[in-house]
Structure formats: C-alpha cells, structure tokens
Amino acid sequence: MIVDLHTHSDASDGCLAPQALLALAAQNRVDVVSITDHDTTAAYPRLGGDPPSGMQLVAGIELSTTWAGRGIHVVGLNIDPVNPVLQRDIARQQAARRARAETIAARLAKLGVADAMAGARRSADGAGIGRPHFARHLVEIGFVKDTASAFRKYLGAGKPGDVRANWAPLADVVRSIESAGGTAVLAHPAKYGLTTTKLRLLLEEFVAVGGRAIEVVCGSQTPAVTRRIADLARDFGLAASSGSDFHGPETAWSSPGRTAALPRDIEKVWELW
Ligand code: AMP
Ligand code: MN
Ligand code: MN
Ligand code: MN
C-alpha cells in the first residue's frame, strides 16, 4: 500500500491545483493521500466530486506554530475540513500570515526589492502568502537565480525574510486539530535543526498537549534518520506517519508517494482511525 500523508497544492505554496495533484498521485499508484496545505483547507471544496478511482483521500492541513522561538509545523490528519472551530483558528493563522508578509516585504524593500508585496501576492494567486511566494518573485525579477538561493540568502533561517509570525501556540494548534476530529502529527522532526535533547523536550510537550503521531518518514531522508525518529516515536508512544511534503513537479527528487517505507514493527497513524 502506498501512502502519502503530506502534500501541498496551490491552495498554499504548492504548484499544482488540487485535482492535478491527485491525478499525479494516482499516476504514482498512491492508495491513500492527504493534501496538507499550510494553514488552509481551501483545496478541499475545490476538489468537488470523488478522488481518482481506488484512491482514498484523507482530509488534512499543516498548521504553523512557534515553539522555543522556532517555527514548528503540525500536520492534522483525518480532520473535518469545514469544522467551525478549525476554520476560526485558520482565519487567525491567515491574519498572522498576512501581517508577516507585510514585514517580510518591508525588509526586502530595505534590501532593494521594490514591490515585493505585490509580487508575492501575484505569485500566491489568492493563496495565503508564504516565503516561497516571495522566493518565486525574487527569481522572476532576477534578484536571485533560483528559489534555493532566495532561501539561502534572504528568506531562510536567520536571514532578513525569516520573520516569525504570530502563530497560535503548540497547544492551540493541536486543540484546533482535535476539535475537527483529527489526529495531530509532528511534521518533519529532523528538519528543525534541534539537538536530540531539545527535540525530546518538544516531543514531551507535544504529547502532553494531545499530539498522537510523528512523521517518521518525510520527503527524502537517510535510513539513519528514519531509525532515529522511529526510536523516538516508540519512546514517546507516538504512531508513525509518512509523507513526501511534495510541493511541485519542478523538484525532481520529490513526487507524491515516492518515499521510503515506514519500519514494519511500528504503529501506523492510519491504524488509529
Ligand atoms: P512559510 O510557510 O511562509 O514559513 O514558508 C515555509 C515554506 O517554505 C516551507 O513549507 C517550504 O515549502 C519552503 N521552504 C522552507 N525552506 C526552504 C528552502 N531552504 N528552500 C526552498 N523552500 C523552502
Ligand atoms: Mn511549503
Ligand atoms: Mn512543513
Ligand atoms: Mn509541508
């Protein structure tokens, strides 16, 4: 069974429309898929109709939060995407996103980028503005050669465009997911640059506020990382999730469903449902 419980559509910072994303997943023979856009469920009402035949669609979201001064992501799976509590919290996240975008644009202006806000808005095309939209704008105007350099020089950790938004706290994003009947999953734990001690502190708090699962596999990662996170999952009694974190076909190394397998002897997040 091929499972991908972490993907992005153009409802956030992905490149494909929701329907096209599912079509690509079907082509890759994915059996179970979730679209987990940043701080929005807007992909779901756009889908209309059923997913491609034989494919199971799990409603999801990826919520942004701040923990110990760092940006952390929590995936919510098996949610009711129209739940009013979740939608109220999403509206707050989107307001935080808009305010942050203005700050990012002001900082880029100081570096000589005119009209960054208008450019990012064009690139987002109605979606909540994220750093990738600024990155794409910087590429378009020739300020950098590609989005990787945009992050390395201007938008990544510690750079001027790395502005902390006023995201809901960890306990609140987990509660939003629970309110919508979903399972809270700590996203890509290996990608925060946390020491093992810090990561264990985060997991302690995550479990204490109701977190139930962790991405043991996310995108492409080494077997050593998978083993390390699987051990943490067992230690903290968390189920294992798996996803590509696919954003678009231009990244050749990432495609829906193309991830390493989860270890056999670990509880899978979908076994909770
Ligand atoms: P935001 O939601 O605005 O904080 O933007 C975070 C998103 O930026 C992530 O979900 C990725 O899609 C993208 N991103 C983060 N770091 C990088 C990077 N170094 N290179 C390319 N994209 C990145
Ligand atoms: Mn993203
Ligand atoms: Mn993420
Ligand atoms: Mn993601």
Side-chain angles (χ1 to χ4, degrees):
M1 186 165 78
I2 303 179
V3 177
D4 191 337
L5 298 175
H6 188 156
T7 67
H8 295 272
S9 77
D10 66 1
S12 66
D13 59 4
C15 297
L16 298 180
Q19 206 60 262
L21 171 60
L22 293 192
L24 180 58
Q27 205 179 305
N28 285 358
R29 304 188 173 280
V30 175
D31 300 294
V32 185
V33 68
S34 185
I35 303 176
T36 53
D37 279 308
H38 298 285
D39 305 298
T40 183
T41 54
Y44 289 93
R46 283 169 61 195
L47 280 171
D50 292 325
S53 85
M55 178 184 281
Q56 193 186 335
L57 179 64
V58 175
I61 190 166
E62 181 174 18
L63 289 170
S64 311
T65 184
T66 309
W67 180 84
R70 288 164 206 265
I72 300 288
H73 289 170
V74 178
V75 165
L77 294 176
N78 205 22
I79 54 169
D80 168 14
V82 300
N83 176 273
V85 175
L86 176 66
Q87 287 303 326
R88 180 203 64 196
D89 294 345
I90 284 174
R92 290 190 192 149
Q93 294 283 89
Q94 290 297 335
R97 208 168 252 291
R98 281 192 295 275
R100 181 185 66 155
E102 298 288 352
T103 311
I104 294 175
R107 292 206 184 167
L108 291 175
K110 284 196 180 140
L111 297 167
V113 184
D115 296 328
M117 194 62 203
R121 202 175 274 128
R122 231 178 356 258
S123 165
D125 193 21
I129 295 175
R131 285 176 287 162
H133 302 116
F134 284 102
R136 287 168 205 162
H137 175 63
L138 293 181
V139 175
E140 245 164 55
I141 62 171
F143 205 73
V144 289
K145 67 175 193 318
D146 53 26
T147 56
S149 352
F151 272 90
R152 200 171 51 244
K153 295 180 180 164
Y154 302 110
L155 299 162
K159 301 299 168 188
D162 176 28
V163 177
R164 207 60 75 225
N166 190 20
W167 305 124
L170 181 65
D172 293 22
V173 302
V174 171
R175 199 176 319 120
S176 299
I177 292 164
E178 279 181 342
S179 301
T183 304
V185 184
L186 186 73
H188 43 66
K191 302 209 176 122
Y192 303 124
L194 294 170
T195 61
T196 300
T197 310
K198 275 258 169 170
L199 184 52
R200 294 187 73 95
L201 278 175
L202 168 59
L203 289 174
E204 249 169 56
E205 191 170 329
F206 182 63
V207 169
V209 299
R212 295 272 177 272
I214 183 170
E215 284 181 345
V216 170
V217 168
C218 186
S220 56
Q221 65 186 35
T222 64
V225 169
T226 305
R227 277 195 299 273
R228 174 172 167 248
I229 304 170
D231 286 343
L232 285 168
R234 290 187 193 96
D235 274 6
F236 284 88
L238 290 164
S241 189
S242 170
S244 59
D245 205 2
F246 173 76
H247 280 74
E250 80 282 11
T251 43
W253 37 267
S254 155
S255 196
R258 301 280 164 82
T259 52
L262 286 173
R264 280 167 196 273
D265 56 341
I266 198 165
E267 184 183 24
K268 315 295 191 290
V269 67
W270 54 88
E271 292 167 356
L272 302 175
W273 304 332

